[in-house]
Structures are given as structure tokens and as C-alpha cells.
Amino acid sequence: MAAHARTADDHPLLRDSFRIGGEGGALCQAQSATGDAASRTMFDRAWTLVCRDAARPVGQIYALRRNSGDQDAALLARLAASRRTAVECGAPGGVNLPDIGAAVMRNCTGAVGPYRILSVTRDKTIYIAQGHAAYASALDLGLRSVMAGRTVSGKVDIATVGSDQSGFARLQAATLDPQTVLAEGYRRNASGNYAEAAEFFDSLTDRLARDPDLAKLTPAERTGRAHEYLVNRGLQLSNLGLFDQADAAFAQARGIATADAVQLRLRRNFEAMHHINRQDLDGALAILDHPLAGGTGAVANGEGAVSLPPEVAAEMSSAASQARALGVRQDTTLAPAERAAIIDAQAQQLRGTILRLSGQPGPAREVLSKALASAVAVRDGRVTSIARLRAQLLGEMALTYEAQGDYGQAERNLNQALTLLGAQYPETVALNGARARLGAFLIRRGRNEDALKIYRGIMASTMENRATLTGMANQLQPYFNLLAQEIPNRPELTADLFAASQLLLRPGAADTLEQLSRELSAGDGEAARLFRQSVSLSRDIERERITLAQLREAAEAQEALLPDVAQAQANIDQLAADQATTLAALAAYPQYRAVSPQGLTLAEMQTALKPSEGYYKLAQLGDALYALWIDATGATGYRLAVSASDVAGKVAALRETISIEVNGAQTTYALDVPVARSLYLDLFGPVEQRLAAVRHLIFEPDGAMLQLPVNLLIAGQAGVDAYEARVAQGGDEFDFRGIDWLGRDHSVSTALSARAFRDARAAAPSSAAQSYIGFGDNAPLAGPLLAASSRGVLSNGAADDCGWSPLQWNRPIPATELREAAQAIGGQGSELITGAAFTDEAVMARRDLDAFRILHFATHGLVTPPHPGCPARPALLTSFAPDKASDGLLQFSEIFDLRLNADLVVLSACDTAGAAGVETTRAAGLSGGGGALDGLVRAFIGAGSRAVIASHWPAPEDYHATERLMGGLFTAKADQSVAEALRDAQVKLMDDPETSHPFYWSGFAIIGDGARPLIVRR
């Protein structure tokens, strides 16, 4: 595998970089460190040892030609100087290594933790390996490989380092160069991974505030970095559809005083993109037309570096060596004038896009052609890092050709764009976006079979890379339309529709999953180690694919490169095998399952269903909604006859009659019965007979239906007619007895995804010995104690921050329902944690939460942002702990780190399954939501709960409705399913005239497998 090089004493050594440990475990690599000045002056050869699950090097290997006068003390001094950190070592001892024999080992300790130094003398050369003791096997293999002059095979068995959850994150913050992180953020955006890119830029902002080394920056440098990180994050949020948060980020960036013309250009382009994303073409054009306050010349920093937008790849914002480490193959940096030309070309691309979208294909192509010429004029088109910009220009020009009837040229442009992206961003979201554009063109030309082949390639690529199609909903709508049209005649295409629908990911869910993924990667357990290894393997595969694509292109003219092509493919195959092994091990951990995008086949989904069950999945693309029905006997799919906007309007109308704030008070009106009936027919009309044949409905919502429990839809017309006749004769409009609610004859479970439901069903029952633990009745802050008529959210009076009003803590939920639930469940052991004992720190500090089958939180849920522009960070309200570290909130990232072994978590709070940011998203013109479902619920699933019961609106206190519902739930018969127990409790409230309004009985939903038993008798 490795080519040989020789030292001055003609001893064979490996080349500058070689792999260590190919037999499972965490694969490591030794990279030449001879470019390091300290290593070069102190040793003849030096390697740095890096491993996939570590953020910084874990050790070093050295070769030193030894003179007769050298002493051990001098050697240790050299090692200490190369290490740059102090360790204290014990007396040297002997150890035998395979293939080497006797070696000298020193065990050391220091701020870096347990440390190890190995040394072996052969003839006139001494070989040394030093590094973290946890990576001893990697050190041994590296040393053996160097001494043997070849890659020695063996297993790297690595223990996790450290004991606290934030250790890995701190390690990254301390050791990774911010410019490298910036380059990676740009590349993530350029490849279409917007959620991950947003996290990179967010972490850079945090790092700028806390990293002591960055305090050495000049004020101008700090300002420039803060501005660049902020506008980048704003663009990623806009790409994800989180427009109000993007608005806030750009407004904050405008408040940063900078005269740097490059930074001003950066913000100009990004804000224009943001307006295009919002379909505000006039606003985007106004931004592009507005003169730059700082002039138009490119301004370089002291070293001549200029920052560029995300379509300009990594090396334009970092050193070339860093860019190459990320898989970019441009060896020389660009001059400021060259970079400025590319920025301006991008601005012209945006202007051309606006003209095309405005129905002016001719003028649009003229602008786009000039922009393309300007971009490729830089270094005669040899700037590889503008591949995506060039591809976007070609794609836009293709649409102008199509609009004017030149279909041949349009297709040629689209294929050129694919070739460009295939070389720089192989098998990424960016490449699949270009494929989708070609697929849509083929559908418009009536070439459906060709289009199906293209789209199936997109799905196969996405599944193989365990990625998602976030941000591609509009591009995939032609595919979904084609499948929905063909399914009546070709029912086998239902499997294609099901597979594609699972790869879509709501922007809110993508943002949440990225944060939870970062939380998982910061852990110190085996799941965290494997996850870091998996992420690193994914990036290794991406880099190798870039290498392979470029080699294949070059091999067309140079046959001598064919062996390199074969080697690159072999490298990818080996990495893919390592990845498969890693993911197989990860699948055992609920935290990973909660963030994994992996889907199911249609056959696998059908196998998971029982004979009396039906699975109904919604998928929103643009303003269209698609439905899939799956049961044990078959499956079908269709596009809803109504638009997503129509459904959103009906959902809003129903929610406003259920729970709405009027003059600061929670108010309920008589339910709009005709709308509830109409919405049922919209969703279930085409499969009404199949729905009637099942007893358990598993519902996977999307779009506005994330905000509404499906059980309150009305399945029959007779009850509606009787109700309207009764009200017309003066009857009580709040008496809804006799209505044929969907939830009266069907138990209902809600699914986060098909895979999440199947995993919940497959999970073994909890082995916890204790039955129940309840948390609630928080201690109020100083001030008036407020009565709670519902478990709602008080608005935040301060609009200049994202904090919550202190009044939230002065409305504690009484512990009555907790006591009743504990008594009803009985069994082996129950515990209540209330008052001052119920703090966020106390919950996180408990190490016995996995000893309880059922966890119950009766408290306020804070899921909507305090005001527009704030991120949705769902949390459960707790008491404040005495120390200042407590914030009185159990946040979803903290929940994710709990260790549970629960069959059920009950969130008897407000809006814990509802749409976080409903008002915010509505103000932004969006119909989506579901942030709480993506946050709190997913966090508890990841922490180890098989199912969660959560609420869609403020849980009512009137008529003791919530207490009665929870009390009825926990009086379930032995081995009765959770869904049936909840349905029975709801029916009792339906049949009481005081609580027959859905506000009192409908709000709680089961997320997970509701067919699992609630009370297990042992």
C-alpha cells in the first residue's frame, strides 16, 4: 500500500503518510511532521499520529540518528520541547513489542492525562513514540510500522478519553484552527449541507468570544471575523427556510461597523440570496443596486487574504495546505483583485437569476453569460474552487434557453453543470440538486422514463451516503408529481414514493438534528466515539471521491494514472466497509438512532405493521402535500387535492377555536366542526375504507399537520349534521357529544419517521426495576404566585434578547396529578421530585434515571421562541438551583444527554408536541413548524425512552381535565397498550358535556409505538 523512502542511513521508512490499524477499531494515520520547525531541528524524521475519533493529534513518532554521547536526559528534553506540554514520568521499564522485541516504556501523567513514551534503539537510530496512553495500541502499531518500513496490520483498540461530556468540544475549540473550521463551513455550504454549515459558523462565533488566543486579534480583525461568521450563519438559516432567524442575523451584521469592501460585498450578496429564497425579487434587486458604503475596491488584510462567499471554496478563505486537507486541489492562493472579480461575478449571477424569474430570459442570459465569462477569466478558468458558481450559472442559462425553445442547448448546459460538480462535489446535495434540475427538464420534455432513472440515482446516492434532501423540496416536486400520477397504473412506484419521502427533512428538524449531532459528538461514551469515527469516515470518503473524480478525468489523457484510479477506488471501498462496520455498531445506541436519517424500504415497513394497523405519512413539498398509506395488505400514494396552504388555513382555523391568547388570556371557542370534517376528507378521503378497517393509526405528520392532533378530525357526517341541528335550535355549542371523532374508534400513535417507529417497536421492553418517577411543582421566584388556568407560555416583555419572562416561574403546576399517577401505577417503587428539589441540575445529576420505567414531567414547556428572530430551543421549566450555573430550564440538548431506560416519558406540559415558533413562522409567511416535535420529543427518544406522550397546546386545568386524563391513562388495565389506555381516557372526557370540546381531551399525542403496554405486570 505504501511507497518506500529512505533516510540518510539507508534504513527503510514509510512514506510521509500511512494508515494504522485496519482490523476494526478506530483507524488512525501517521502524517509527516517534518514541516514543523521544532521537529525538523530536533529529529531526523517525525510523524504526527491522528485518529478519526480525536479532534487533535494523539501522539508523535520520531526517528533520530543517535551519537555515542547522547544521554536519556537529552532525549527527554527534546521530547518535552516537541510536546509543548509538561508531563511527569516514572522510572523507565521494559516491555516486549511484536516484531520488535525489547523496548523502553515510560508512564507519565500531566494536564493532558495519562501519557506514554516508548523508545527502541536499532543500530545508530533511536525510534520513539509518545502520546495519550488511551491510544497505546495506535502508538505501538505506528512505531512498529516505522521500524519495519511497511504498514503493519493490526487492531487499534481505543478507550475514550476524559470523563466529562464537553471534553471533546473543548478539545476541538482549543486545537482546531478557526480558519480550517471556516473553510469546512464554506465547503459544507457549497456541497449543499446547510444545517451542518450553520453549525460550523455558529461554533466559530462562540469560539471568537471564548478562545483566549483570539483575544490577540486586532479590533479590525475581530470585527471582520465576527461579521463574516454572522452573515454566513444568516445565509445558512435562510437556506433552511428559517427566515425570521436569518433576518435577525443580517440585522445584527448590519450593526457591525465595517468599512471593509469585501465584507460589505459579502453581506450584499448573502442578503440578496436571502431575499431570493423568500421569493422577494424586488428586495433582492434593490440590495444589488444599492451602492456599497465602503466603495467597490477589494480590501485585503495585512497578509493579502480576502474572504469570499460560500460558492467560492475552501482555499479562498484559508491557506492552501488547509484547503488540500479538505480535499480541494488548488495549490496557489488568489490575488485580492482575482477574488473580488469572482465575488462580483456571483452578484451578476444573482441579478441574472432575478431577471429569469421575472420572465426575461433574453436579458437574463446576457447578464449570466457575462458573469460566467468574468468568473472563468480568472486564471484562464483554472480556478477549481468556483465549480459550483460556474455550475449554477450554466443551470440558470439552461433555463433561459429552455424558455426560448432551444432545448438541445439547455440540456447541454445542464450536463456541463453535472460534470463540473461531479469533479468537485461528488455525491453531495449540490450534485443531486443539479441532477434534479436535469430530471425536471426531462419531465417537461415528456421523457418520463429518463427522468425516473435520474431521480432514482439521486435517491440511491442520498441513501448510500446516509444523507437527506433538506433544501431540495421544490426541486423534487416534479418527481413526486410524476410518481403520484403513475401510481394508479403502476402501484410498484409506491415504493419509490415512500423511499423518497423519507429522505426529505424539514428545515427545523435538520437544524435540531445538527445540534443533537454536535451534542452526541461531544460525549465521552462509546456511542460518541463511534459517532465521531463515523463522521470522520464520511469526510474521508468525500475527499477520496474528489480525488477519484479528478484522477478519472486526468486518466482520460494519461493512461499511466489508471493504477492510481484503481487505488483510489480501493481506498473508497475500504472506507465504506469501515463505515458500514461503524454504523452497525452505532445502531445499538438510541442517541444515534434519534439523529440518523436512515430509512426503511416499503417491504420493511409493511413487515413492521400488525394486521389491525395502518401507517399514514404526509410529505410537504412547496405548496403540495403527498400522502402514503401502508398497511399489512398493501400500500398506495397520492397527492392531496388541496394545497398545503389550504391545509394550513384549516389547521389555523381549528387551533384558533381550541386555544388562542386574547388580551393575555387563554381562550377557547366552539370548534369549527365543518372545518374538522373537511380536513378529514382532504387527508383521508382517498383511503377512507382502508382506514375504517384498522384500529390503530400511526400518523407521521408534515407541514401544518405538525400543529394539530389528527384524532380531532371528524370521520362521519351524521354527527356533524346532528350537532348543527341541535345548535340551530338553541343547544349548547360547546356540547360536542355524538361527534364521530377519528380518535373515538381509533387509537393513534404519532411517528417522527418510519424508521423511528420501527425502532421503537423493535426495542426490548424496559428492564428498569422502579415503576415511576414524577417531576413538577417548581419553586416560584420571589414575587406574586400566579394561578395557572392552563400550562401556557407568558410572552416576554423584553424584545432585545431571547430570554424568558421571570413570571413563567411563578405559575407552578400543582403536583396533584403526579401523586395520583404514582398511586395508580403502583408496582415496585415510585418517587416524586417537587418544589425546590426539582431543578435542572438535580435532574441532570441523577445517575439512576435508567432505573424507572415511566418518567412524568408536570411543568411548563417553553417551546415557542420568546420573540421573532430567536431560535426555537425547547425546554422544560424547573426550579432554579442555588448556584448561578442553573438557568431553571431543562433544555433539549441536556435532555438528550440523560441516560434513560424508559418505556414512556409523559410531558404533561404545554405545546411539547406542538409547533415551536408558530407565530414566528406565520409572521414569516411559512406554514410549517414542528420545532418542539423535533426538539423535546426527539431528545427524550434519543435519551432512551421508547415512547413520549406530549401535548399540542396548553394543557387545560379547568374541570381538572388534565388530571382526569392523566389519571385515566394510568388506570390502564394490565398489559393494555398506551394508545388504547389514552383513547379510553379521552372517550370519558368526550362523553362529558363539560369536557367534550377537543381542547380538554385531544391535545396529548403518543410519539413512538402506542401499541406497547403501559402497565407491565411482572
Side-chain angles (χ1 to χ4, degrees):
M1 172 179 129
H4 289 142
R6 292 189 181 271
T7 61
D9 61 356
D10 203 38
H11 190 94
L13 289 176
L14 293 176
R15 65 180 181 178
D16 288 349
S17 178
F18 61 92
R19 292 181 181 175
I20 298 170
E23 298 178 6
L27 197 64
C28 302
Q29 188 170 13
Q31 299 174 346
S32 175
T34 53
D36 176 70
S39 298
R40 186 172 60 247
T41 57
M42 292 184 292
F43 300 100
D44 297 312
R45 295 294 303 270
W47 294 262
T48 296
L49 185 62
V50 294
C51 292
R52 287 196 176 115
D53 71 334
R56 66 178 180 183
V58 301
Q60 297 84 32
I61 303 171
Y62 301 113
L64 174 66
R65 195 183 308 181
R66 190 167 191 177
N67 297 320
S68 58
D70 288 345
Q71 301 294 321
D72 283 347
L75 174 63
L76 292 176
R78 292 188 187 212
L79 292 173
S82 69
R83 194 168 51 241
R84 297 186 181 91
T85 185
V87 297
E88 293 184 4
C89 300
V95 64
N96 283 310
L97 296 178
D99 305 323
I100 292 178
V104 177
M105 182 175 70
R106 291 174 171 85
N107 290 317
C108 314
T109 60
V112 294
Y115 210 74
R116 185 181 186 187
I117 300 175
L118 282 168
S119 60
V120 180
T121 301
R122 285 289 182 273
D123 299 325
K124 294 182 179 181
T125 302
I126 183 169
Y127 301 92
I128 311 105
Q130 66 170 358
H132 293 279
Y135 291 83
S137 59
L139 291 168
D140 292 352
L141 276 172
L143 184 61
R144 290 164 56 196
S145 296
V146 166
M147 294 187 67
R150 59 181 175 81
T151 300
V152 175
S153 63
K155 182 177 181 181
V156 176
D157 186 13
I158 296 173
T160 56
V161 180
S163 59
D164 66 274
Q165 294 294 327
S166 59
F168 185 77
R170 287 202 307 271
L171 199 63
Q172 287 182 317
T175 59
L176 294 184
D177 183 350
Q179 286 298 91
T180 300
V181 180
L182 178 64
E184 188 75 354
Y186 277 128
R187 180 158 182 82
R188 293 297 117 187
N189 176 85
S191 63
N193 296 322
Y194 302 129
E196 191 174 353
E199 287 301 304
F200 274 107
F201 294 119
D202 196 29
S203 69
L204 283 167
T205 299
D206 293 343
R207 188 173 304 177
L208 186 64
R210 70 170 184 263
D211 193 332
D213 290 340
L214 295 180
K216 301 174 185 176
L217 298 173
T218 67
E221 288 171 334
R222 288 187 65 84
T223 297
R225 290 196 184 190
H227 182 274
E228 183 171 7
Y229 301 161
L230 195 56
V231 295
N232 269 286
R233 177 159 175 79
L235 179 61
Q236 308 317 312
L237 291 168
S238 178
N239 288 338
L240 288 169
L242 303 174
F243 296 143
D244 61 322
Q245 293 180 46
D247 283 338
F250 285 123
Q252 189 178 348
R254 288 193 296 272
I256 297 177
T258 178
D260 188 322
V262 170
Q263 289 295 325
L264 294 172
R265 291 179 183 206
L266 199 68
R267 189 172 74 221
R268 173 199 65 190
N269 286 13
F270 287 10
E271 285 205 82
M273 293 179 195
H274 172 50
H275 282 269
I276 291 173
N277 286 342
R278 299 188 67 166
Q279 301 181 12
D280 177 14
L281 302 185
D282 291 339
L285 194 58
I287 289 172
L288 293 172
D289 286 339
H290 194 275
L292 293 175
T296 58
V299 177
N301 64 21
E303 297 179 353
V306 178
S307 301
L308 288 177
E311 279 68 19
V312 184
E315 70 269 39
M316 294 192 181
S317 299
S318 62
S321 61
Q322 295 165 338
R324 288 195 298 271
L326 297 170
V328 182
R329 297 304 182 88
Q330 182 173 303
D331 294 331
T332 58
T333 57
L334 297 174
E338 293 172 321
R339 296 171 177 177
I342 294 172
I343 297 176
D344 288 338
Q346 183 191 51
Q348 289 301 96
Q349 179 235 330
L350 298 175
R351 188 181 299 276
T353 298
I354 292 169
L355 288 170
R356 179 187 65 77
L357 292 172
S358 302
Q360 303 177 62
R365 188 164 64 253
E366 183 178 352
V367 172
L368 293 167
S369 298
K370 290 179 180 178
L372 181 59
S374 298
V376 299
V378 178
R379 301 203 178 179
D380 299 322
R382 291 180 288 107
V383 182
T384 59
S385 52
I386 60 169
R388 193 180 184 200
L389 175 59
R390 292 175 63 184
Q392 288 175 328
L393 285 162
L394 287 167
E396 287 293 325
M397 291 169 64
L399 294 175
T400 66
Y401 281 118
E402 183 184 6
Q404 294 182 322
D406 190 346
Y407 305 121
Q409 187 58 49
E411 188 169 354
R412 284 189 289 274
N413 274 30
L414 292 171
N415 281 306
Q416 280 183 274
L418 283 176
T419 300
L420 277 169
L421 291 172
Q424 289 299 317
Y425 303 102
E427 305 312 322
T428 60
V429 177
L431 178 59
N432 283 329
R435 287 168 172 161
R437 179 170 274 188
L438 175 59
F441 169 80
L442 294 174
I443 289 175
R444 291 192 296 272
R445 303 309 310 142
R447 294 161 58 183
N448 291 349
E449 291 305 316
D450 292 338
L452 282 175
K453 184 177 180 180
I454 292 286
Y455 284 115
R456 282 171 173 159
I458 294 172
M459 303 308 143
S461 168
T462 305
M463 287 187 284
E464 181 182 353
N465 289 287
R466 294 165 181 84
T468 65
L469 296 170
T470 303
M472 285 186 58
N474 291 336
Q475 291 175 287
L476 292 173
Q477 191 169 337
Y479 179 49
F480 276 65
N481 284 339
L482 178 60
L483 292 175
Q485 292 166 9
E486 294 291 330
I487 281 174
N489 299 319
R490 300 171 63 184
E492 69 275 8
L493 292 180
T494 305
D496 294 76
L497 183 61
F498 181 61
S501 68
Q502 293 178 84
L503 297 175
L504 295 172
L505 195 62
R506 295 183 301 277
D511 184 51
T512 295
L513 288 179
E514 197 57 46
Q515 293 176 64
L516 293 181
S517 295
R518 189 164 66 171
E519 191 73 17
L520 174 56
S521 73
D524 66 346
E526 180 68 3
R529 185 189 72 80
L530 288 168
F531 183 72
R532 293 193 296 268
Q533 181 171 309
S534 170
V535 171
S536 183
L537 280 164
S538 295
R539 292 176 183 169
D540 287 347
I541 291 170
E542 180 184 353
R543 295 181 187 115
E544 288 290 341
R545 281 178 174 157
I546 294 170
T547 299
L548 177 61
Q550 294 171 341
L551 282 170
R552 280 177 172 166
E553 186 176 5
E556 292 179 3
Q558 303 177 57
E559 290 189 4
L561 291 175
L562 289 176
D564 293 325
V565 172
Q567 182 61 59
Q569 183 61 62
N571 291 345
I572 293 173
D573 293 342
Q574 181 59 56
L575 289 167
D578 293 344
Q579 180 74 296
T581 301
T582 302
L583 293 174
L586 264 175
Y589 296 93
Q591 276 192 316
Y592 173 71
R593 294 198 299 268
V595 301
S596 171
Q598 192 171 357
L600 299 178
T601 66
L602 181 59
E604 289 171 331
M605 186 72 241
Q606 287 180 287
T607 302
L609 296 175
K610 299 176 182 178
S612 60
E613 294 180 328
Y615 192 95
Y616 183 92
K617 176 179 174 59
L618 275 178
Q620 179 173 339
L621 288 85
D623 200 30
L625 280 167
Y626 302 84
L628 281 136
W629 173 270
I630 307 168
D631 57 32
T633 63
T636 190
Y638 51 94
R639 177 175 174 172
L640 268 60
V642 295
S643 67
S645 299
D646 291 337
V647 169
K650 293 180 181 182
V651 168
L654 289 172
R655 281 193 65 106
E656 287 173 1
T657 64
I658 294 168
S659 177
I660 189 172
E661 190 174 291
V662 178
N663 296 326
Q666 208 70 33
T667 305
T668 300
Y669 297 100
L671 186 78
D672 195 327
V673 170
V675 171
R677 173 61 177 160
S678 171
L679 190 53
Y680 170 87
L681 293 173
D682 291 336
L683 269 60
F684 296 104
V687 291
E688 189 170 20
Q689 291 184 343
R690 301 181 75 156
L691 173 61
V694 302
R695 295 285 297 171
H696 181 204
L697 171 66
I698 302 107
F699 180 60
E700 184 184 336
D702 198 6
M705 287 305 298
L706 289 158
Q707 305 168 21
L708 194 74
V710 73
N711 60 1
L712 64 71
L713 301 185
I714 300 175
Q717 185 63 35
V720 174
D721 295 339
Y723 168 81
E724 291 183 329
R726 187 169 66 247
V727 171
Q729 295 174 4
D732 183 1
E733 64 177 352
F734 280 85
D735 183 356
F736 294 97
R737 289 175 296 173
I739 294 288
D740 184 18
W741 308 109
L742 175 60
R744 173 175 285 276
D745 295 323
H746 292 83
S747 59
V748 179
S749 297
T750 302
L752 290 171
S753 68
R755 182 59 180 251
F757 173 79
R758 202 284 299 273
D759 286 346
R761 171 149 291 182
S766 169
S767 59
Q770 305 292 94
S771 296
Y772 174 92
I773 185 169
F775 300 89
D777 194 16
N778 68 278
L781 297 175
L785 188 66
L786 304 178
S789 61
S790 70
R791 301 170 193 190
V793 176
L794 295 174
S795 61
N796 178 21
D800 58 348
D801 61 45
C802 291
W804 290 100
S805 166
L807 294 179
Q808 298 287 0
W809 281 264
N810 286 7
R811 301 183 303 144
I813 304 300
T816 309
E817 85 178 52
L818 297 176
R819 289 191 291 268
E820 291 179 353
Q823 183 177 3
I825 289 174
Q828 182 65 38
S830 295
E831 187 175 348
L832 298 184
I833 310 297
T834 60
F838 172 39
T839 68
D840 50 323
E841 290 187 359
V843 175
M844 290 186 289
R846 290 190 69 124
R847 294 293 178 263
D848 65 343
L849 291 179
D850 59 353
F852 296 92
R853 278 193 60 251
I854 298 174
L855 286 82
H856 186 174
F857 292 84
T859 184
H860 296 289
L862 307 179
V863 297
T864 56
H867 62 81
C870 292
R873 296 290 182 266
L876 295 176
L877 186 146
T878 71
S879 303
F880 280 89
D883 63 83
K884 295 181 180 179
S886 169
D887 59 3
L889 297 172
L890 187 61
Q891 301 191 48
F892 81 108
S893 59
E894 296 167 339
I895 293 166
F896 188 68
D897 285 333
L898 300 177
R899 293 295 179 264
L900 309 181
N901 182 17
D903 282 332
L904 181 67
V905 169
V906 180
L907 304 180
S908 180
C910 89
D911 283 334
T912 47
V918 172
E919 294 303 323
T920 302
T921 52
R922 187 178 299 163
L926 300 177
S927 59
L933 189 70
D934 296 323
L936 285 179
V937 172
R938 201 181 294 271
F940 273 111
I941 296 293
S945 180
R946 279 77 169 165
V948 176
I949 291 181
S951 54
H952 275 275
W953 48 70
E957 297 296 328
D958 297 336
Y959 309 116
H960 302 287
T962 300
E963 289 180 23
R964 290 164 58 190
L965 190 67
M966 290 294 125
L969 172 68
F970 289 120
T971 56
K973 298 183 287 291
D975 297 323
Q976 184 179 22
S977 74
V978 180
E980 282 294 333
L982 181 61
R983 189 191 68 83
D984 287 351
Q986 290 170 333
V987 168
K988 291 177 182 177
L989 295 179
M990 292 179 200
D991 292 340
D992 184 333
E994 290 184 329
T995 57
S996 60
H997 193 294
F999 173 61
Y1000 296 105
W1001 58 263
S1002 174
F1004 286 94
I1006 301 164
I1007 297 93
D1009 180 11
R1012 300 176 71 95
L1014 175 62
I1015 309 296
V1016 178
R1017 305 301 183 193
R1018 295 175 177 169

